[in-house]
Amino acid sequence: MAAADLQPMAIAPRAPGDYAPAAGGRGVEALQDAAEPLRGARILHVSAAGAEGRVPEFLGGLLPLAAGAGVEVEWRVLFGSADLRATAAALMSGLRGGESAIEEPVWEEYLDACVRTAGSLQDGYDAVVLHDAAIGLAAGLGYGAAGGGPAVLWRIHEDSSGAEPDALARSGALAERCAGVLVSDESFAPPAFQDGRLHVAPPGIDPLDPRNLELESRLPGRVVRPLGVDLERPFCLQVLELDRWDDPHAAIDAFRAAKGEEPELQLVLAAVLDRAATESWQAAKEIYDYADDTGDVLLLTSYEGLGSLELGALLLLARTVIERSLREGFELAPFEALWKRTPVVGGIPLTVRDGVDGFLAPDPDEAAARIVELVRDPGLAIEMGRAGRERVREGFLVTSALERELRAVAATVQAP
């Protein structure tokens, strides 16, 4: 297996002050205070090409802000042959609790490619942060600051508490070479990772991303109507990634029950569809088939013109956002909904405060009852939405996320 490549990504610095209207002056000051110990340090972030989830989007908001705060950051994307990408994807599937099914010779080839790729990195980094499947590079990056090289940190964005034993053993051996392990919540870390190197650093949303921007009052309607949504009737929304971990079937079941009580209700399933990914098309077809006998279910993808602006408008206009996953993690979609003042039905206690900014509603029947409650009581929906927005402002914007990440990095590296 040939060595992989590390593709540099451009980072345009963004001033922390740009976030003051959303995060407040204290939030910006806390971020700048966290950046101070790392001024002059050189930090490399590496993500994996084709990675599931929203890691590239998260870094696209995080790193420009870090650069604007005075931290010298670089971003590279690890990519290689189809075999290498398949092995990395299988490892992440295993860490999320799926089956990795990686044969030992294939794993050895993968490690060999990662070692040779890591060797191509120039000296001079104070820290290297490996995101999810990029952990393979740890095989060639030494043991961190104590060994004379850069401090290596592994950022796990997914919930790995129920990881498959094979994937856990392989990633654990690589994690031993890391000076720090970052997780979104301590409960997401397997016991093997819960030691002095563990840092808790929840993510956050970028309020300046087109999806999260405040929109002029008439714009959301003008954006959403061409997608086929009837704005004269209430609708609930589920944001999907069209991977094996989403659970649109449970959302459709809850909608069917709720529609029996509220016939005017609509369900919008919004997903960014990768036109080149067979799995995404297959998942979309399965959703169509499952909802075939249910009226007023609308699946919108990028193929129909769904983009960040359209998704932001949907999040704003929905009566509620449904959060259902087979493997719940620290998803950003609920926070984006709450930032738009839209309550959430479903999710986990880490993202939704039951009865405050939404309802946990662990099963479809309870979710249906809560959806009906929010449709019939717009005042309650408004109250919960306001509470949710303040919670996001206080702790789950990208400014807070970067502050937590910088403090974790600073704990493992001494800036020059």
Side-chain angles (χ1 to χ4, degrees), residues 224-237:
V224 168
R225 280 193 183 90
L227 299 175
V229 183
D230 184 355
L231 295 182
E232 299 301 318
R233 298 186 288 145
F235 71 91
C236 46
L237 171 71

Side-chain angles (χ1 to χ4, degrees), residues 130-153:
L130 306 174
H131 294 264
D132 284 346
I135 183 61
L137 292 179
L141 285 176
Y143 290 87
V152 181
L153 298 94

Side-chain angles (χ1 to χ4, degrees), residues 319 371-383:
R319 183 59 56 88
I371 291 169
V372 170
E373 182 177 357
L374 289 167
V375 169
R376 292 178 176 175
D377 191 348
L380 175 62
I382 291 172
E383 181 182 344

Side-chain angles (χ1 to χ4, degrees), residues 131-216:
H131 294 264
D132 284 346
I135 183 61
L137 292 179
L141 285 176
Y143 290 87
V152 181
L153 298 94
W154 183 28
R155 170 73 167 179
I156 314 173
H157 293 267
E158 306 295 349
D159 181 353
S160 300
S161 60
E164 175 209 53
D166 285 351
L168 181 59
R170 284 168 168 151
S171 62
L174 293 167
E176 287 295 324
R177 306 178 69 88
C178 297
V181 177
L182 281 67
V183 294
S184 297
D185 188 78
E186 189 173 0
S187 66
F188 289 2
F193 297 162
Q194 294 188 6
D195 55 30
R197 298 173 301 150
L198 190 69
H199 300 272
V200 177
I205 66 168
D206 184 353
L208 301 185
D209 184 274
R211 183 182 305 187
N212 303 317
L213 285 174
E214 292 289 318
L215 300 177
E216 182 269 326

Side-chain angles (χ1 to χ4, degrees), residues 180-360:
V181 177
L182 281 67
V183 294
S184 297
D185 188 78
E186 189 173 0
S187 66
F188 289 2
F193 297 162
Q194 294 188 6
D195 55 30
R197 298 173 301 150
L198 190 69
H199 300 272
V200 177
I205 66 168
D206 184 353
L208 301 185
D209 184 274
R211 183 182 305 187
N212 303 317
L213 285 174
E214 292 289 318
L215 300 177
E216 182 269 326
S217 59
R218 296 184 180 181
L219 182 59
R222 292 200 296 265
V223 167
V224 168
R225 280 193 183 90
L227 299 175
V229 183
D230 184 355
L231 295 182
E232 299 301 318
R233 298 186 288 145
F235 71 91
C236 46
L237 171 71
Q238 184 183 26
V239 180
L240 301 170
E241 293 180 9
L242 289 182
D243 60 25
R244 60 174 294 187
W245 304 104
D246 281 323
D247 191 12
H249 300 84
I252 294 170
D253 289 342
F255 168 72
R256 284 173 177 154
K259 192 170 177 62
E261 299 290 327
E262 289 290 330
E264 294 294 295
L265 189 63
Q266 306 165 88
L267 172 63
V268 177
L269 303 170
V272 177
L273 177 62
D274 184 347
R275 302 184 185 193
T278 303
E279 298 81 3
S280 294
W281 285 100
Q282 182 177 351
K285 177 64 166 57
E286 290 175 356
I287 294 171
Y288 276 120
D289 291 345
Y290 192 76
D292 187 55
D293 61 348
T294 305
D296 291 321
V297 177
L298 186 61
L299 176 61
L300 299 176
T301 70
S302 51
Y303 198 76
E304 286 90 14
L306 181 71
S308 292
L309 181 62
E310 291 77 13
L311 186 53
L314 287 167
L315 287 165
L316 177 67
L317 296 176
R319 183 59 56 88
T320 182
V321 165
I322 304 173
E323 175 63 23
R324 311 295 299 186
S325 299
L326 296 175
R327 183 71 172 179
E328 299 280 12
F330 212 108
E331 301 290 343
L332 290 176
F335 292 117
E336 290 171 336
L338 295 175
W339 184 243
K340 294 285 188 175
R341 303 180 181 87
T342 301
V344 176
V345 172
I348 57 177
L350 298 174
T351 55
V352 177
R353 297 174 297 180
D354 193 33
V356 179
D357 39 38
F359 298 104
L360 291 177

Side-chain angles (χ1 to χ4, degrees), residues 38 41-46 71-74 121 124-130 141 144-145 149-153 179 408-410 412-414 416:
L38 291 171
R42 190 177 174 210
I43 301 170
L44 171 67
H45 288 255
V46 183
V71 180
E72 186 178 348
V73 289
E74 297 178 34
L121 288 173
Y125 293 111
D126 296 282
V128 177
V129 184
L130 306 174
L141 285 176
V152 181
L153 298 94
V409 173
T412 63
V413 60
Q414 172 115 23

